[in-house]
Amino acid sequence: MLTGNAHNTLKSLHSLVQEVNGANNLDQVLALIVRRVKVALGADVCSVYLSIGDARDRLMLMATDGLNPSAVGQVVIERDTGLVGQVARKAESVNLGNAPAHPSYRYFPETGEERYHAFLGAPIIHHGDVLGVLVVQSHRAEPFVEEMETFLFTIAAQLSGAILHAEAQGRLGPPTGGVSEKTLLKGEFSGPVQGQPGAPGVAIGRAVLIHPFAAIESVPDRHITDVEAELEHFREALERVRSDVHEMLARMHHSPAGQAQAGLFDAYLMMLDSDSLVEGIELRIRSGVWAPAALREVVLEHVKAFDAMEDPYLRERAQDVRDLARRVLEQLEQGADGRLAREYPKDTVLVGEEITASMLAEVPQTHLVGVVSVRGSRTSHMAMLASAFGIPAVMGAEGLPLKRVEGAAIIADGYSGRLYLNPDEAVSLEYIRLQREEEELAAGLRGLRHQPAVTVDGFAIELMANTGLVADIRPAQASGAQGVGLYRTEFPFMIRERFPSEEEQRAVYQQVLDTFHPLPVVMRTLDIGGDKNLSYFPIVEENPFLGWRGIRVTLDHPEIFMIQLRAMLRANAGLGNLQILLPMVTSLREVISARGYIDRAYDELVEEGYKVTRPKVGVMIEVPAAIYLAPELARRVDFFSLGTNDLAQYLLAVDRNNVHVSDIFDTLHPSLLRAIKQVVEVSEQSGVPVSVCGEMASDPCAALALIGMGIKTLSMSASGILRIKWLVRSFTLEQAYELYAEVSQMEAPAPIRAHLETALRDAGLGGLVRAGKS
């Protein structure tokens, strides 16, 4: 049996993956793999075959250490041919001592492999897809020991992620003598890049790659002696950033959608003058730290907790702070005359590792036709902004080779999440047709802004907005939202280096309540813990999502809870449209205790002379325990709000942002639909109203099912309201009931979605499923 040194192999594995991640092109990556694996396993040959073709039905020899180098790029093996094909076809390892004697063996004379007898091949798999085969061979006619087979399998599993990571970063260049750059871009090598649908529509144009000018994490420490000069340098940089933001604001005001987003840049200006940022930075400069490092320390304190968040909405808030810091750092590094100019073609599709709102604003609105971001998801703030501007977007395009997209012809399908680089004529003509029909759809939706959300047979469905920032208010109003179904109060806490005071919270809450008055505003009490930590109030746990979070934290810290409750009640004085929502409720004791604190805050304020009123109080139904406690909860609260994002995660035991299990997360899973229906039945029996405030409400298929099971209030991001209004106005309530009755008998998400999509198309709403399918 062929053996190797297990300790050395394990030691080599980590350094090999690190080297692959740092490689510059495909040749370099594969040369590293074959050289290091050959040594680690004590073999005479190591080769890599990668899947090619749209169907990945062939394998090409891409690199070797031991076979004839001239065979690279020339040997192509069908999946139903040879031992390499068998490994790929069965997605299983093959370990033979005398490979030429095996019936599946096929000899390729150009490789010179007739000298080798032992064969060990392991599939390179990523998410069930065979990317290629890693092979080692030896002169000796005996199989490799099982330990070596396990090591090769482990290395192949590690390399699959490393190869895709390098491709996403644009470091996988063309293989020598094999596949051309043009072929790679057209997708013959790896097919169209699959991302996530971000904002609906089809973008056809030229890719413009945008990079952040500065990386805040990479700023080194440096001591200064002239503190006053450094302070002046920092203040000048701030002033130049203020000027840039004012210019962006002026540009945004040229379009209705831009006006709707202007509040975000007002928030940027407020941050530039905020005590928590500016004074914190200046304090560090006065201690002898140079301005870039002082900026780094303060900003990273703010974003550290955000970066680990699972909640896409709140994670995007951190990105706004990070983006502003990038702009300040750029000015600190380049100075007053260091502005970089960029030309944007009239059909710009903005592409980047992580697109931000200010990057979007830098492009003339008449030139921007699409957005593609390697990071983010359909629930991210960037996706919402793109939708508000009517710009198609694809998010989470992790397989996109960024370094090769600049100037390429690109099609971004905001419905399917697919990207085509340098597409052929047939694909281009089809998408041009779809784009034309999508434009007709968008024009029709704009006419619905002032129309009521009423079914064909006259039943009203309330459509509300989810918000968390002042910048979200304008797009919510422009979409015709009938109030705020979920206002996330965490952000004022997360942008500070300390807990916000009662007065600071009151001012923020009052602005939201006053803007939407007399429409209702549902404010969720502080929901931290899990993935939402505060830099100044860290919560470190082994399993944070099942730990100290939500209502559990605020009940354990009544001093925090009482300040927030007092601020809410004071903000509501004279308005009366506040409703309070309690998050992560799992027991009656939590509701009773929370209501006790609300009563106490009310009594205190009355005694102090404030003219406050008692608001309605509801609970989030977002954990399975609350579903089964719904009858008891109904006797103690005024309303239910279904948080379907977390509820789906807990019911399915899946993190929706984890790429390894993201395909399991589906809001049309039968278990989730049945759980929601159970809460609806309790609502109908008790008279306690129930709404849905998760992103499920903005999914046309899911919204149709929700209406069919009896939900009368849907709350979603502003970008989805007009589309769901079109849906509401196209069906009778009886039709929705019948559709839910039909899908409730189905056993899996796929047939449920297919059945609902068919109903949408039959009703002439195929445009909500994807462009051109009405």
Side-chain angles (χ1 to χ4, degrees), residues 62-112:
M62 305 294 274
T64 186
D65 187 338
L67 299 181
N68 292 337
S70 61
V72 172
Q74 302 303 313
V75 173
V76 177
I77 303 172
E78 302 292 332
R79 281 209 180 195
D80 58 357
T81 302
L83 294 174
V84 173
Q86 179 177 319
V87 173
R89 185 173 66 257
K90 294 186 176 181
E92 295 177 353
S93 297
V94 171
N95 187 4
L96 301 171
N98 187 11
H102 192 278
S104 295
Y105 178 81
R106 180 177 175 183
Y107 173 56
F108 293 91
E110 57 265 52
T111 66

Side-chain angles (χ1 to χ4, degrees), residues 31-52:
L32 279 169
I33 291 173
V34 297
R35 184 177 70 252
R36 294 289 301 277
V37 171
K38 174 184 171 182
V39 173
L41 296 187
D44 296 310
V45 174
C46 180
S47 306
V48 175
Y49 299 80
L50 294 185
S51 300
I52 62 173

Side-chain angles (χ1 to χ4, degrees), residues 71-194:
V72 172
Q74 302 303 313
V75 173
V76 177
I77 303 172
E78 302 292 332
R79 281 209 180 195
D80 58 357
T81 302
L83 294 174
V84 173
Q86 179 177 319
V87 173
R89 185 173 66 257
K90 294 186 176 181
E92 295 177 353
S93 297
V94 171
N95 187 4
L96 301 171
N98 187 11
H102 192 278
S104 295
Y105 178 81
R106 180 177 175 183
Y107 173 56
F108 293 91
E110 57 265 52
T111 66
E113 64 179 341
E114 66 273 7
R115 297 168 290 172
Y116 306 107
H117 296 278
F119 175 96
L120 175 59
I124 302 173
I125 301 175
H126 185 77
H127 292 179
D129 188 14
V130 177
L131 303 180
V133 176
L134 180 61
V135 176
V136 290
Q137 295 171 274
S138 175
H139 289 105
R140 298 173 62 182
E142 49 186 292
F144 290 85
V145 296
E146 183 178 358
E147 184 181 40
M148 292 296 99
E149 182 177 348
T150 303
F151 282 141
L152 189 69
F153 192 84
T154 303
I155 291 171
Q158 292 288 330
L159 291 178
S160 67
I163 289 171
L164 287 185
H165 174 74
E167 185 179 50
Q169 298 301 315
R171 290 199 297 269
L172 295 190
T176 301
V179 183
S180 70
E181 184 83 0
K182 184 177 180 181
T183 298
L184 281 168
L185 283 172
K186 291 179 72 172
E188 184 176 335
F189 178 67
S190 60
V193 176
Q194 185 65 55

